[in-house]
Amino acid sequence: MKLIAVPAFSDNYLWLWQQDQKAVVVDPGDAAPVLQALAREGLTLAAILVTHHHADHVGGVRELRLATGAQVFGPAREDVPAPFSPVMQGDQLALLGQTVQVLDVPGHTAGHVAYFLPDAAPSPVLFCGDTLFSGGCGRIFEGTPAQMLDSLDRLAALPGQTQVCCAHEYTLSNLRFALAVEPSNTDLQTYMAKCQQLRAQGSPTLPAQLDTELQINPFLRARHPRVRQAVAQHAGLSAHEQTDDVAVFAALREWKNNFR
Ligand code: ZN
Ligand code: FE
């Protein structure tokens, strides 16, 4: 299988996964760039996967479905353009020869799902929408910090070689924040330099690799003593709050929300 990041709007990627002359699209916020990519590559659309209800993820669903007849799959608990097949944690789809596992990852939105392809070659693939970004995570709009931490914990437990297909190119701004949290993290410094080079060439920084994220992403490292201490200091957490994983994670997210 081949992964194609179709740029849209100012910083979205609409992911296409291609097998032979067919493709699946994830989160088509806009139909036009997807239709162009399908035409350019000579592909027919086999299915549309949706992670959550935000307009930049579903805006092109109706037009694409009408243009291609592709079946739409989306989170059971969210308002996705009908008709769609509702999916939730534990569901498995078979698409283009791949097993697709559905994971509930609430936090950014209340019913957000992710799609995991454990048998993809050369390594597993995760489409995580706005839950996990390279160097960051989604804002908590509808869920709670406890839900978001739990969702990220479950994504972090996937195989280290997993290719993480995030829905936005937010990497450099996320890494600026990550360096404010952990200025002495040498893996982070190295990764920043690599991503700066990619962006300078006009290339996506994605997919990210999960085991790299575990080394550099503060939101996957909220229990690391260095991150915990930096957050405690920044937010003025009490000794008791510092021992509370959710309190530390919530303060880290709040810090990022206000970071410029
Ligand atoms: Zn979103
Ligand atoms: Fe988004």
Side-chain angles (χ1 to χ4, degrees):
M1 70 179 282
K2 179 179 160 194
L3 291 167
I4 303 169
V6 178
F9 309 118
S10 58
D11 51 32
N12 283 72
Y13 291 126
L14 321 180
W15 287 96
L16 275 181
W17 126 47
Q18 173 193 348
Q19 183 68 52
D20 303 316
Q21 292 316 108
K22 292 184 176 171
V24 170
V25 68
V26 184
D27 285 351
D30 191 3
V34 176
L35 290 168
Q36 281 162 20
L38 294 171
R40 187 182 65 233
E41 309 278 337
L43 306 174
T44 55
L45 194 63
I48 300 169
L49 302 180
V50 172
T51 66
H52 68 293
H53 68 85
H54 285 160
D56 61 317
H57 299 254
V58 302
V61 166
R62 184 184 144 80
E63 186 181 338
L64 273 181
R65 179 177 58 75
L66 292 174
T68 66
Q71 189 177 359
V72 182
F73 298 89
R77 289 196 296 271
E78 297 212 344
D79 190 15
V80 173
F84 75 102
S85 303
V87 296
M88 62 175 83
Q89 178 76 37
D91 285 347
Q92 283 206 2
L93 312 175
L95 293 170
L96 304 189
Q98 294 291 330
T99 299
V100 181
Q101 298 176 347
V102 180
L103 307 171
D104 281 345
V105 287
H108 178 67
T109 61
H112 200 303
V113 298
Y115 299 94
F116 180 59
L117 284 57
D119 306 322
S123 56
V125 172
L126 174 69
F127 298 104
C128 54
D130 287 354
T131 298
L132 175 62
F133 295 123
S134 185
C137 74
R139 280 186 187 245
I140 301 169
F141 285 125
E142 297 173 7
T144 64
Q147 283 180 324
M148 188 57 135
L149 179 59
D150 179 61
S151 294
L152 292 175
D153 281 344
R154 286 180 296 108
L155 296 183
L158 295 173
Q161 298 304 306
T162 298
Q163 306 174 73
V164 184
C165 299
C166 319
H168 291 270
E169 180 61 68
Y170 288 160
T171 310
L172 291 184
S173 67
N174 286 338
L175 295 181
R176 275 191 292 278
F177 173 71
L179 280 165
V181 177
E182 276 193 282
S184 63
N185 180 337
T186 53
D187 294 324
L188 180 52
Q189 294 161 6
T190 306
Y191 185 64
M192 173 64 126
K194 180 190 156 189
C195 291
Q196 282 173 328
Q197 201 169 19
L198 285 169
R199 294 308 291 149
Q201 297 164 359
S203 303
T205 59
L206 305 170
Q209 192 166 306
L210 187 58
D211 53 13
T212 303
E213 292 302 309
L214 297 177
Q215 301 305 314
I216 62 96
N217 188 327
F219 294 94
L220 301 182
R221 296 167 62 75
R223 295 179 186 86
H224 190 290
R226 216 156 49 195
V227 174
R228 193 177 287 262
Q229 200 196 354
V231 172
Q233 208 162 43
H234 178 84
L237 298 186
S238 69
H240 175 69
E241 286 166 331
Q242 285 177 46
T243 65
D244 179 340
D245 291 344
V246 173
V248 171
F249 181 81
L252 177 66
R253 186 57 253 184
E254 192 63 26
W255 182 2
K256 173 71 165 69
N257 291 348
N258 299 308
F259 186 78
R260 291 290 175 271

